[in-house]
């Protein structure tokens, strides 16, 4: 059993990740923290609570975190996730209030308390701009000792999506991403190099939609949105992306991912390449100095390959297995 914390900007694919994390028998979701990204912070919190209700996990602690990046204003992705960030499905609002309204615990404190209070090192998964996690690691560096691994969906060793070279989560808060890759905890970067390969086809989506159980059916509705959104995108072949949920599949089943330990730096300079993750894939150590590149470069397990069918099957089997007991 793995103890897990998710940091999210729910978001259609964050919702898929939440549903998967709640359902997977070897994962124990200990807390969820929210950050501005796909939509504004208040909407992210409301969406997260709705999804956990539908997933049959109304008791998982949820807390609100940063409402904007460390530097600059928040920028949303409503063109992808719908005006409410959750495909405008009209899900009922949760009756639950998140911390801090209920318990006075902001996200950074919930993260610290959950990590330090866990009996075994936890896996922390960032599926959003890394603002909350950067604030945590700067305010309470002692948490590093009880983090088994930090997996984040973000970055790219090739092209970007928010810009030609920058992926959305890193582009939204590059300084936060730089702090996280430099924090001294084992980090896995689940970036666009694998993100665009893990998808679900229309028959699988129909199977979920036909299910009576609310969490499974919600997964079907979200994937139907993803299929419509991806349309003719040749990278996805008419399927719907699992997106962030793929990063949680990688926690449950790391064997499905091929990674390489590589130096990664985040471009922080203003301009066209701000937010790019510079993944150094050259063969020889020390070439940085030889070529005059400056700035720190840190060892990150960069995901470069994925067994996409294996994760599709894992997602479907997990979502069809019914709510947690
Ligand atoms: C990332 O950006 C968001 O829109 C998705 O939820 C995912 O976390 C992909 O670049
Ligand atoms: Ca996300």
């Amino acid at each position: 059993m793995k103890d897990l914390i998710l940091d999210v900007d729910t978001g259609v694919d964050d919702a898929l990740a939440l549903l998967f994390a709640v359902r997977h028998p070897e994962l124990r979701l200990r807390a969820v923290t929210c950050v501005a990204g796909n939509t504004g912070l208040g909407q992210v919190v409301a969406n997260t609570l709705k999804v956990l209700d539908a997933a049959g996990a109304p008791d998982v602690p949820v807390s609100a975190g940063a409402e904007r990046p460390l530097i600059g204003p928040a920028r949303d992705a409503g063109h992808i996730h719908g005006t409410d960030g959750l495909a405008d499905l009209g899900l009922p609002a949760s009756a639950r209030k998140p911390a801090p309204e209920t318990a006075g615990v902001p996200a950074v404190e919930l993260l610290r308390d959950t990590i330090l209070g866990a009996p075994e090192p936890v896996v922390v998964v960032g599926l959003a701009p890394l603002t909350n996690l950067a604030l945590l690691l700067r305010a309470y560096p002692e948490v590093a000792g009880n983090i088994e691994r930090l997996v984040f969906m973000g970055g790219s060793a090739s092209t970007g999506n928010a810009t030609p070279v920058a992926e959305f989560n890193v582009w939204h808060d590059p300084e936060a991403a730089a702090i996280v890759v430099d924090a001294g905890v084992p980090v896995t970067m689940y970036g666009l190099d694998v993100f665009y390969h893990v998808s679900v086809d229309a028959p699988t989506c129909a199977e979920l939609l036909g299910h009576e159980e609310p969490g499974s059916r919600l997964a079907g509705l979200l994937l139907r949105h993803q299929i419509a959104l991806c349309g003719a995108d040749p990278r996805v072949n008419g399927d719907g992306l699992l997106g962030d949920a793929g990063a949680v599949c990688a926690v449950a089943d790391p064997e499905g991912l091929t990674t390489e330990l590589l130096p990664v730096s985040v471009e922080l300079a203003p301009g066209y390449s701000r937010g790019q993750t510079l993944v150094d894939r050259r063969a020889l150590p020390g070439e940085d100095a030889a070529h005059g590149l400056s700035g720190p470069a840190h060892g990150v397990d960069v995901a470069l390959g994925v067994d996409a069918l294996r994760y599709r099957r894992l997602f479907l089997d997990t979502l069809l297995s019914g709510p947690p007991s």
Side-chain angles (χ1 to χ4, degrees), residues 195-232:
F195 180 90
Y196 282 118
H197 292 283
V198 185
S199 63
V200 162
D201 57 4
T204 306
C205 176
E207 197 174 337
L208 287 163
L209 275 172
H211 218 275
E212 281 178 6
E213 194 282 315
S216 309
R217 187 167 151 70
L218 176 56
L221 290 167
L222 295 163
L223 284 165
R224 189 168 67 184
H225 170 89
Q226 294 287 79
I227 288 173
L229 183 73
C230 295

PDB file of all heavy atoms in Angstrom, residues 195-232:
ATOM      1  N   PHE A 195       2.787  12.055 -21.726  1.00  0.00           N
ATOM      2  CA  PHE A 195       1.417  12.532 -21.477  1.00  0.00           C
ATOM      3  C   PHE A 195       0.511  12.326 -22.695  1.00  0.00           C
ATOM      4  O   PHE A 195      -0.631  11.893 -22.567  1.00  0.00           O
ATOM      5  CB  PHE A 195       1.521  14.017 -21.138  1.00  0.00           C
ATOM      6  CG  PHE A 195       0.245  14.757 -20.837  1.00  0.00           C
ATOM      7  CD1 PHE A 195      -0.247  14.831 -19.542  1.00  0.00           C
ATOM      8  CD2 PHE A 195      -0.435  15.435 -21.839  1.00  0.00           C
ATOM      9  CE1 PHE A 195      -1.391  15.549 -19.252  1.00  0.00           C
ATOM     10  CE2 PHE A 195      -1.587  16.159 -21.560  1.00  0.00           C
ATOM     11  CZ  PHE A 195      -2.061  16.214 -20.261  1.00  0.00           C
ATOM     12  N   TYR A 196       1.030  12.627 -23.888  1.00  0.00           N
ATOM     13  CA  TYR A 196       0.194  12.557 -25.096  1.00  0.00           C
ATOM     14  C   TYR A 196       0.063  11.142 -25.666  1.00  0.00           C
ATOM     15  O   TYR A 196      -0.547  10.954 -26.709  1.00  0.00           O
ATOM     16  CB  TYR A 196       0.720  13.508 -26.172  1.00  0.00           C
ATOM     17  CG  TYR A 196       0.346  14.945 -25.899  1.00  0.00           C
ATOM     18  CD1 TYR A 196       1.317  15.917 -25.686  1.00  0.00           C
ATOM     19  CD2 TYR A 196      -0.996  15.337 -25.808  1.00  0.00           C
ATOM     20  CE1 TYR A 196       0.973  17.234 -25.414  1.00  0.00           C
ATOM     21  CE2 TYR A 196      -1.347  16.641 -25.530  1.00  0.00           C
ATOM     22  CZ  TYR A 196      -0.363  17.588 -25.335  1.00  0.00           C
ATOM     23  OH  TYR A 196      -0.711  18.885 -25.058  1.00  0.00           O
ATOM     24  N   HIS A 197       0.629  10.161 -24.965  1.00  0.00           N
ATOM     25  CA  HIS A 197       0.522   8.782 -25.469  1.00  0.00           C
ATOM     26  C   HIS A 197      -0.538   7.970 -24.738  1.00  0.00           C
ATOM     27  O   HIS A 197      -0.959   6.933 -25.239  1.00  0.00           O
ATOM     28  CB  HIS A 197       1.877   8.077 -25.353  1.00  0.00           C
ATOM     29  CG  HIS A 197       2.896   8.640 -26.282  1.00  0.00           C
ATOM     30  ND1 HIS A 197       2.904   8.360 -27.624  1.00  0.00           N
ATOM     31  CD2 HIS A 197       3.912   9.510 -26.071  1.00  0.00           C
ATOM     32  CE1 HIS A 197       3.894   9.020 -28.207  1.00  0.00           C
ATOM     33  NE2 HIS A 197       4.510   9.726 -27.278  1.00  0.00           N
ATOM     34  N   VAL A 198      -0.927   8.390 -23.547  1.00  0.00           N
ATOM     35  CA  VAL A 198      -1.811   7.547 -22.719  1.00  0.00           C
ATOM     36  C   VAL A 198      -3.243   8.027 -22.894  1.00  0.00           C
ATOM     37  O   VAL A 198      -3.609   9.116 -22.436  1.00  0.00           O
ATOM     38  CB  VAL A 198      -1.376   7.585 -21.243  1.00  0.00           C
ATOM     39  CG1 VAL A 198      -2.232   6.618 -20.441  1.00  0.00           C
ATOM     40  CG2 VAL A 198       0.098   7.229 -21.112  1.00  0.00           C
ATOM     41  N   SER A 199      -4.036   7.211 -23.557  1.00  0.00           N
ATOM     42  CA  SER A 199      -5.388   7.643 -23.923  1.00  0.00           C
ATOM     43  C   SER A 199      -6.361   6.479 -23.804  1.00  0.00           C
ATOM     44  O   SER A 199      -5.965   5.334 -23.595  1.00  0.00           O
ATOM     45  CB  SER A 199      -5.378   8.176 -25.353  1.00  0.00           C
ATOM     46  OG  SER A 199      -5.021   7.127 -26.229  1.00  0.00           O
ATOM     47  N   VAL A 200      -7.628   6.822 -23.963  1.00  0.00           N
ATOM     48  CA  VAL A 200      -8.696   5.823 -23.882  1.00  0.00           C
ATOM     49  C   VAL A 200      -9.527   5.943 -25.147  1.00  0.00           C
ATOM     50  O   VAL A 200      -9.838   7.048 -25.595  1.00  0.00           O
ATOM     51  CB  VAL A 200      -9.541   6.078 -22.612  1.00  0.00           C
ATOM     52  CG1 VAL A 200     -10.869   5.383 -22.686  1.00  0.00           C
ATOM     53  CG2 VAL A 200      -8.769   5.606 -21.378  1.00  0.00           C
ATOM     54  N   ASP A 201      -9.887   4.798 -25.727  1.00  0.00           N
ATOM     55  CA  ASP A 201     -10.646   4.840 -26.977  1.00  0.00           C
ATOM     56  C   ASP A 201     -12.160   4.937 -26.705  1.00  0.00           C
ATOM     57  O   ASP A 201     -12.618   4.785 -25.566  1.00  0.00           O
ATOM     58  CB  ASP A 201     -10.311   3.641 -27.861  1.00  0.00           C
ATOM     59  CG  ASP A 201     -10.573   2.320 -27.153  1.00  0.00           C
ATOM     60  OD1 ASP A 201     -11.078   2.332 -26.014  1.00  0.00           O
ATOM     61  OD2 ASP A 201     -10.267   1.280 -27.746  1.00  0.00           O
ATOM     62  N   ALA A 202     -12.910   5.172 -27.774  1.00  0.00           N
ATOM     63  CA  ALA A 202     -14.354   5.394 -27.620  1.00  0.00           C
ATOM     64  C   ALA A 202     -15.090   4.188 -27.018  1.00  0.00           C
ATOM     65  O   ALA A 202     -15.957   4.367 -26.152  1.00  0.00           O
ATOM     66  CB  ALA A 202     -14.956   5.799 -28.967  1.00  0.00           C
ATOM     67  N   PRO A 203     -14.775   2.940 -27.416  1.00  0.00           N
ATOM     68  CA  PRO A 203     -15.466   1.805 -26.782  1.00  0.00           C
ATOM     69  C   PRO A 203     -15.229   1.723 -25.276  1.00  0.00           C
ATOM     70  O   PRO A 203     -16.148   1.406 -24.504  1.00  0.00           O
ATOM     71  CB  PRO A 203     -14.875   0.581 -27.502  1.00  0.00           C
ATOM     72  CG  PRO A 203     -14.369   1.097 -28.805  1.00  0.00           C
ATOM     73  CD  PRO A 203     -13.932   2.506 -28.554  1.00  0.00           C
ATOM     74  N   THR A 204     -14.018   2.023 -24.842  1.00  0.00           N
ATOM     75  CA  THR A 204     -13.729   2.003 -23.401  1.00  0.00           C
ATOM     76  C   THR A 204     -14.540   3.079 -22.691  1.00  0.00           C
ATOM     77  O   THR A 204     -15.099   2.866 -21.608  1.00  0.00           O
ATOM     78  CB  THR A 204     -12.217   2.260 -23.166  1.00  0.00           C
ATOM     79  OG1 THR A 204     -11.488   1.320 -23.920  1.00  0.00           O
ATOM     80  CG2 THR A 204     -11.865   2.140 -21.697  1.00  0.00           C
ATOM     81  N   CYS A 205     -14.595   4.241 -23.325  1.00  0.00           N
ATOM     82  CA  CYS A 205     -15.372   5.349 -22.773  1.00  0.00           C
ATOM     83  C   CYS A 205     -16.840   4.924 -22.657  1.00  0.00           C
ATOM     84  O   CYS A 205     -17.500   5.167 -21.634  1.00  0.00           O
ATOM     85  CB  CYS A 205     -15.195   6.557 -23.671  1.00  0.00           C
ATOM     86  SG  CYS A 205     -16.164   7.960 -23.185  1.00  0.00           S
ATOM     87  N   ALA A 206     -17.353   4.273 -23.692  1.00  0.00           N
ATOM     88  CA  ALA A 206     -18.758   3.840 -23.677  1.00  0.00           C
ATOM     89  C   ALA A 206     -19.005   2.835 -22.555  1.00  0.00           C
ATOM     90  O   ALA A 206     -20.053   2.853 -21.902  1.00  0.00           O
ATOM     91  CB  ALA A 206     -19.120   3.227 -25.030  1.00  0.00           C
ATOM     92  N   GLU A 207     -18.014   1.987 -22.309  1.00  0.00           N
ATOM     93  CA  GLU A 207     -18.148   0.995 -21.234  1.00  0.00           C
ATOM     94  C   GLU A 207     -18.303   1.706 -19.883  1.00  0.00           C
ATOM     95  O   GLU A 207     -19.135   1.341 -19.053  1.00  0.00           O
ATOM     96  CB  GLU A 207     -16.905   0.097 -21.239  1.00  0.00           C
ATOM     97  CG  GLU A 207     -17.096  -1.191 -20.471  1.00  0.00           C
ATOM     98  CD  GLU A 207     -15.898  -2.131 -20.626  1.00  0.00           C
ATOM     99  OE1 GLU A 207     -15.156  -2.014 -21.617  1.00  0.00           O
ATOM    100  OE2 GLU A 207     -15.721  -2.967 -19.743  1.00  0.00           O
ATOM    101  N   LEU A 208     -17.523   2.738 -19.688  1.00  0.00           N
ATOM    102  CA  LEU A 208     -17.620   3.494 -18.423  1.00  0.00           C
ATOM    103  C   LEU A 208     -18.936   4.257 -18.349  1.00  0.00           C
ATOM    104  O   LEU A 208     -19.588   4.312 -17.291  1.00  0.00           O
ATOM    105  CB  LEU A 208     -16.434   4.456 -18.311  1.00  0.00           C
ATOM    106  CG  LEU A 208     -15.090   3.796 -18.007  1.00  0.00           C
ATOM    107  CD1 LEU A 208     -13.937   4.727 -18.329  1.00  0.00           C
ATOM    108  CD2 LEU A 208     -15.029   3.363 -16.543  1.00  0.00           C
ATOM    109  N   LEU A 209     -19.342   4.844 -19.486  1.00  0.00           N
ATOM    110  CA  LEU A 209     -20.596   5.616 -19.500  1.00  0.00           C
ATOM    111  C   LEU A 209     -21.808   4.749 -19.200  1.00  0.00           C
ATOM    112  O   LEU A 209     -22.801   5.218 -18.626  1.00  0.00           O
ATOM    113  CB  LEU A 209     -20.783   6.264 -20.872  1.00  0.00           C
ATOM    114  CG  LEU A 209     -20.105   7.605 -21.095  1.00  0.00           C
ATOM    115  CD1 LEU A 209     -20.231   8.009 -22.551  1.00  0.00           C
ATOM    116  CD2 LEU A 209     -20.699   8.666 -20.193  1.00  0.00           C
ATOM    117  N   GLY A 210     -21.711   3.485 -19.562  1.00  0.00           N
ATOM    118  CA  GLY A 210     -22.824   2.562 -19.347  1.00  0.00           C
ATOM    119  C   GLY A 210     -22.920   2.084 -17.912  1.00  0.00           C
ATOM    120  O   GLY A 210     -23.870   1.391 -17.543  1.00  0.00           O
ATOM    121  N   HIS A 211     -21.970   2.451 -17.100  1.00  0.00           N
ATOM    122  CA  HIS A 211     -21.925   1.980 -15.719  1.00  0.00           C
ATOM    123  C   HIS A 211     -22.882   2.797 -14.850  1.00  0.00           C
ATOM    124  O   HIS A 211     -22.993   4.008 -15.027  1.00  0.00           O
ATOM    125  CB  HIS A 211     -20.490   2.156 -15.211  1.00  0.00           C
ATOM    126  CG  HIS A 211     -20.038   1.057 -14.333  1.00  0.00           C
ATOM    127  ND1 HIS A 211     -20.293   1.034 -12.985  1.00  0.00           N
ATOM    128  CD2 HIS A 211     -19.361  -0.074 -14.610  1.00  0.00           C
ATOM    129  CE1 HIS A 211     -19.765  -0.065 -12.462  1.00  0.00           C
ATOM    130  NE2 HIS A 211     -19.199  -0.757 -13.432  1.00  0.00           N
ATOM    131  N   GLU A 212     -23.523   2.133 -13.912  1.00  0.00           N
ATOM    132  CA  GLU A 212     -24.477   2.863 -13.051  1.00  0.00           C
ATOM    133  C   GLU A 212     -23.794   3.579 -11.901  1.00  0.00           C
ATOM    134  O   GLU A 212     -24.289   4.575 -11.384  1.00  0.00           O
ATOM    135  CB  GLU A 212     -25.492   1.882 -12.459  1.00  0.00           C
ATOM    136  CG  GLU A 212     -26.567   1.515 -13.452  1.00  0.00           C
ATOM    137  CD  GLU A 212     -27.548   0.521 -12.894  1.00  0.00           C
ATOM    138  OE1 GLU A 212     -27.464   0.194 -11.693  1.00  0.00           O
ATOM    139  OE2 GLU A 212     -28.393   0.080 -13.687  1.00  0.00           O
ATOM    140  N   GLU A 213     -22.655   3.058 -11.494  1.00  0.00           N
ATOM    141  CA  GLU A 213     -21.980   3.598 -10.303  1.00  0.00           C
ATOM    142  C   GLU A 213     -21.455   5.013 -10.635  1.00  0.00           C
ATOM    143  O   GLU A 213     -20.848   5.227 -11.690  1.00  0.00           O
ATOM    144  CB  GLU A 213     -20.871   2.615  -9.936  1.00  0.00           C
ATOM    145  CG  GLU A 213     -20.275   2.819  -8.571  1.00  0.00           C
ATOM    146  CD  GLU A 213     -19.322   3.970  -8.605  1.00  0.00           C
ATOM    147  OE1 GLU A 213     -18.516   4.043  -9.553  1.00  0.00           O
ATOM    148  OE2 GLU A 213     -19.401   4.803  -7.695  1.00  0.00           O
ATOM    149  N   PRO A 214     -21.708   6.006  -9.763  1.00  0.00           N
ATOM    150  CA  PRO A 214     -21.430   7.410 -10.120  1.00  0.00           C
ATOM    151  C   PRO A 214     -19.980   7.715 -10.478  1.00  0.00           C
ATOM    152  O   PRO A 214     -19.732   8.497 -11.411  1.00  0.00           O
ATOM    153  CB  PRO A 214     -21.836   8.196  -8.863  1.00  0.00           C
ATOM    154  CG  PRO A 214     -22.673   7.273  -8.054  1.00  0.00           C
ATOM    155  CD  PRO A 214     -22.345   5.873  -8.455  1.00  0.00           C
ATOM    156  N   GLY A 215     -19.008   7.128  -9.773  1.00  0.00           N
ATOM    157  CA  GLY A 215     -17.600   7.428 -10.058  1.00  0.00           C
ATOM    158  C   GLY A 215     -17.190   6.916 -11.433  1.00  0.00           C
ATOM    159  O   GLY A 215     -16.495   7.604 -12.194  1.00  0.00           O
ATOM    160  N   SER A 216     -17.631   5.691 -11.768  1.00  0.00           N
ATOM    161  CA  SER A 216     -17.282   5.110 -13.075  1.00  0.00           C
ATOM    162  C   SER A 216     -17.943   5.925 -14.187  1.00  0.00           C
ATOM    163  O   SER A 216     -17.334   6.230 -15.219  1.00  0.00           O
ATOM    164  CB  SER A 216     -17.763   3.659 -13.164  1.00  0.00           C
ATOM    165  OG  SER A 216     -17.338   2.939 -12.043  1.00  0.00           O
ATOM    166  N   ARG A 217     -19.194   6.284 -13.965  1.00  0.00           N
ATOM    167  CA  ARG A 217     -19.916   7.056 -14.981  1.00  0.00           C
ATOM    168  C   ARG A 217     -19.293   8.442 -15.169  1.00  0.00           C
ATOM    169  O   ARG A 217     -19.169   8.931 -16.290  1.00  0.00           O
ATOM    170  CB  ARG A 217     -21.395   7.181 -14.588  1.00  0.00           C
ATOM    171  CG  ARG A 217     -22.207   7.813 -15.661  1.00  0.00           C
ATOM    172  CD  ARG A 217     -23.699   7.699 -15.480  1.00  0.00           C
ATOM    173  NE  ARG A 217     -24.357   8.832 -16.104  1.00  0.00           N
ATOM    174  CZ  ARG A 217     -24.428   9.019 -17.421  1.00  0.00           C
ATOM    175  NH1 ARG A 217     -23.915   8.149 -18.249  1.00  0.00           N
ATOM    176  NH2 ARG A 217     -25.016  10.093 -17.921  1.00  0.00           N
ATOM    177  N   LEU A 218     -18.870   9.058 -14.054  1.00  0.00           N
ATOM    178  CA  LEU A 218     -18.210  10.363 -14.172  1.00  0.00           C
ATOM    179  C   LEU A 218     -16.940  10.239 -15.013  1.00  0.00           C
ATOM    180  O   LEU A 218     -16.658  11.099 -15.856  1.00  0.00           O
ATOM    181  CB  LEU A 218     -17.890  10.927 -12.779  1.00  0.00           C
ATOM    182  CG  LEU A 218     -17.114  12.245 -12.751  1.00  0.00           C
ATOM    183  CD1 LEU A 218     -17.839  13.340 -13.542  1.00  0.00           C
ATOM    184  CD2 LEU A 218     -16.874  12.704 -11.306  1.00  0.00           C
ATOM    185  N   ALA A 219     -16.192   9.169 -14.797  1.00  0.00           N
ATOM    186  CA  ALA A 219     -14.980   8.963 -15.622  1.00  0.00           C
ATOM    187  C   ALA A 219     -15.367   8.911 -17.094  1.00  0.00           C
ATOM    188  O   ALA A 219     -14.685   9.494 -17.958  1.00  0.00           O
ATOM    189  CB  ALA A 219     -14.255   7.687 -15.201  1.00  0.00           C
ATOM    190  N   GLY A 220     -16.482   8.228 -17.414  1.00  0.00           N
ATOM    191  CA  GLY A 220     -16.944   8.162 -18.806  1.00  0.00           C
ATOM    192  C   GLY A 220     -17.297   9.535 -19.356  1.00  0.00           C
ATOM    193  O   GLY A 220     -16.951   9.874 -20.493  1.00  0.00           O
ATOM    194  N   LEU A 221     -17.982  10.328 -18.548  1.00  0.00           N
ATOM    195  CA  LEU A 221     -18.364  11.682 -19.000  1.00  0.00           C
ATOM    196  C   LEU A 221     -17.137  12.545 -19.252  1.00  0.00           C
ATOM    197  O   LEU A 221     -17.070  13.301 -20.240  1.00  0.00           O
ATOM    198  CB  LEU A 221     -19.253  12.349 -17.946  1.00  0.00           C
ATOM    199  CG  LEU A 221     -20.660  11.765 -17.781  1.00  0.00           C
ATOM    200  CD1 LEU A 221     -21.327  12.299 -16.508  1.00  0.00           C
ATOM    201  CD2 LEU A 221     -21.516  12.099 -19.002  1.00  0.00           C
ATOM    202  N   LEU A 222     -16.168  12.449 -18.357  1.00  0.00           N
ATOM    203  CA  LEU A 222     -14.945  13.248 -18.513  1.00  0.00           C
ATOM    204  C   LEU A 222     -14.166  12.804 -19.750  1.00  0.00           C
ATOM    205  O   LEU A 222     -13.646  13.634 -20.506  1.00  0.00           O
ATOM    206  CB  LEU A 222     -14.078  13.116 -17.254  1.00  0.00           C
ATOM    207  CG  LEU A 222     -14.688  13.695 -15.974  1.00  0.00           C
ATOM    208  CD1 LEU A 222     -13.965  13.163 -14.743  1.00  0.00           C
ATOM    209  CD2 LEU A 222     -14.652  15.225 -15.992  1.00  0.00           C
ATOM    210  N   LEU A 223     -14.126  11.504 -19.971  1.00  0.00           N
ATOM    211  CA  LEU A 223     -13.394  11.004 -21.146  1.00  0.00           C
ATOM    212  C   LEU A 223     -14.114  11.348 -22.438  1.00  0.00           C
ATOM    213  O   LEU A 223     -13.479  11.589 -23.468  1.00  0.00           O
ATOM    214  CB  LEU A 223     -13.171   9.494 -21.015  1.00  0.00           C
ATOM    215  CG  LEU A 223     -12.064   9.149 -20.015  1.00  0.00           C
ATOM    216  CD1 LEU A 223     -12.097   7.685 -19.635  1.00  0.00           C
ATOM    217  CD2 LEU A 223     -10.694   9.513 -20.602  1.00  0.00           C
ATOM    218  N   ARG A 224     -15.437  11.395 -22.394  1.00  0.00           N
ATOM    219  CA  ARG A 224     -16.184  11.819 -23.586  1.00  0.00           C
ATOM    220  C   ARG A 224     -15.797  13.258 -23.958  1.00  0.00           C
ATOM    221  O   ARG A 224     -15.621  13.588 -25.128  1.00  0.00           O
ATOM    222  CB  ARG A 224     -17.689  11.713 -23.319  1.00  0.00           C
ATOM    223  CG  ARG A 224     -18.517  11.921 -24.571  1.00  0.00           C
ATOM    224  CD  ARG A 224     -19.950  11.535 -24.353  1.00  0.00           C
ATOM    225  NE  ARG A 224     -20.612  12.420 -23.403  1.00  0.00           N
ATOM    226  CZ  ARG A 224     -21.871  12.249 -22.969  1.00  0.00           C
ATOM    227  NH1 ARG A 224     -22.579  11.220 -23.370  1.00  0.00           N
ATOM    228  NH2 ARG A 224     -22.408  13.101 -22.133  1.00  0.00           N
ATOM    229  N   HIS A 225     -15.638  14.107 -22.926  1.00  0.00           N
ATOM    230  CA  HIS A 225     -15.159  15.478 -23.175  1.00  0.00           C
ATOM    231  C   HIS A 225     -13.768  15.437 -23.794  1.00  0.00           C
ATOM    232  O   HIS A 225     -13.477  16.172 -24.751  1.00  0.00           O
ATOM    233  CB  HIS A 225     -15.133  16.253 -21.847  1.00  0.00           C
ATOM    234  CG  HIS A 225     -14.446  17.579 -21.926  1.00  0.00           C
ATOM    235  ND1 HIS A 225     -15.100  18.745 -22.264  1.00  0.00           N
ATOM    236  CD2 HIS A 225     -13.146  17.932 -21.728  1.00  0.00           C
ATOM    237  CE1 HIS A 225     -14.250  19.748 -22.261  1.00  0.00           C
ATOM    238  NE2 HIS A 225     -13.051  19.294 -21.938  1.00  0.00           N
ATOM    239  N   GLN A 226     -12.907  14.590 -23.267  1.00  0.00           N
ATOM    240  CA  GLN A 226     -11.534  14.508 -23.785  1.00  0.00           C
ATOM    241  C   GLN A 226     -11.518  14.049 -25.247  1.00  0.00           C
ATOM    242  O   GLN A 226     -10.762  14.578 -26.056  1.00  0.00           O
ATOM    243  CB  GLN A 226     -10.701  13.521 -22.936  1.00  0.00           C
ATOM    244  CG  GLN A 226     -10.469  13.954 -21.499  1.00  0.00           C
ATOM    245  CD  GLN A 226      -9.469  15.087 -21.376  1.00  0.00           C
ATOM    246  OE1 GLN A 226      -9.823  16.245 -21.612  1.00  0.00           O
ATOM    247  NE2 GLN A 226      -8.251  14.790 -21.028  1.00  0.00           N
ATOM    248  N   ILE A 227     -12.378  13.083 -25.577  1.00  0.00           N
ATOM    249  CA  ILE A 227     -12.426  12.591 -26.963  1.00  0.00           C
ATOM    250  C   ILE A 227     -12.872  13.717 -27.897  1.00  0.00           C
ATOM    251  O   ILE A 227     -12.282  13.947 -28.956  1.00  0.00           O
ATOM    252  CB  ILE A 227     -13.359  11.363 -27.072  1.00  0.00           C
ATOM    253  CG1 ILE A 227     -12.695  10.155 -26.408  1.00  0.00           C
ATOM    254  CG2 ILE A 227     -13.700  11.055 -28.532  1.00  0.00           C
ATOM    255  CD1 ILE A 227     -13.582   8.920 -26.291  1.00  0.00           C
ATOM    256  N   ALA A 228     -13.905  14.449 -27.490  1.00  0.00           N
ATOM    257  CA  ALA A 228     -14.401  15.555 -28.322  1.00  0.00           C
ATOM    258  C   ALA A 228     -13.323  16.622 -28.474  1.00  0.00           C
ATOM    259  O   ALA A 228     -13.125  17.196 -29.547  1.00  0.00           O
ATOM    260  CB  ALA A 228     -15.662  16.135 -27.701  1.00  0.00           C
ATOM    261  N   LEU A 229     -12.606  16.882 -27.385  1.00  0.00           N
ATOM    262  CA  LEU A 229     -11.587  17.929 -27.381  1.00  0.00           C
ATOM    263  C   LEU A 229     -10.411  17.558 -28.279  1.00  0.00           C
ATOM    264  O   LEU A 229      -9.891  18.388 -29.024  1.00  0.00           O
ATOM    265  CB  LEU A 229     -11.094  18.116 -25.941  1.00  0.00           C
ATOM    266  CG  LEU A 229     -10.088  19.197 -25.691  1.00  0.00           C
ATOM    267  CD1 LEU A 229     -10.778  20.556 -25.796  1.00  0.00           C
ATOM    268  CD2 LEU A 229      -9.485  19.043 -24.300  1.00  0.00           C
ATOM    269  N   CYS A 230      -9.997  16.298 -28.199  1.00  0.00           N
ATOM    270  CA  CYS A 230      -8.800  15.897 -28.951  1.00  0.00           C
ATOM    271  C   CYS A 230      -9.097  15.811 -30.442  1.00  0.00           C
ATOM    272  O   CYS A 230      -8.195  15.992 -31.265  1.00  0.00           O
ATOM    273  CB  CYS A 230      -8.248  14.582 -28.415  1.00  0.00           C
ATOM    274  SG  CYS A 230      -7.650  14.727 -26.716  1.00  0.00           S
ATOM    275  N   GLY A 231     -10.386  15.549 -30.804  1.00  0.00           N
ATOM    276  CA  GLY A 231     -10.805  15.580 -32.198  1.00  0.00           C
ATOM    277  C   GLY A 231      -9.828  14.901 -33.131  1.00  0.00           C
ATOM    278  O   GLY A 231      -9.530  13.720 -32.986  1.00  0.00           O
ATOM    279  N   ALA A 232      -9.306  15.686 -34.037  1.00  0.00           N
ATOM    280  CA  ALA A 232      -8.441  15.114 -35.073  1.00  0.00           C
ATOM    281  C   ALA A 232      -6.955  15.198 -34.704  1.00  0.00           C
ATOM    282  O   ALA A 232      -6.102  15.019 -35.574  1.00  0.00           O
ATOM    283  CB  ALA A 232      -8.694  15.839 -36.381  1.00  0.00           C
TER     284      ALA A 232
END
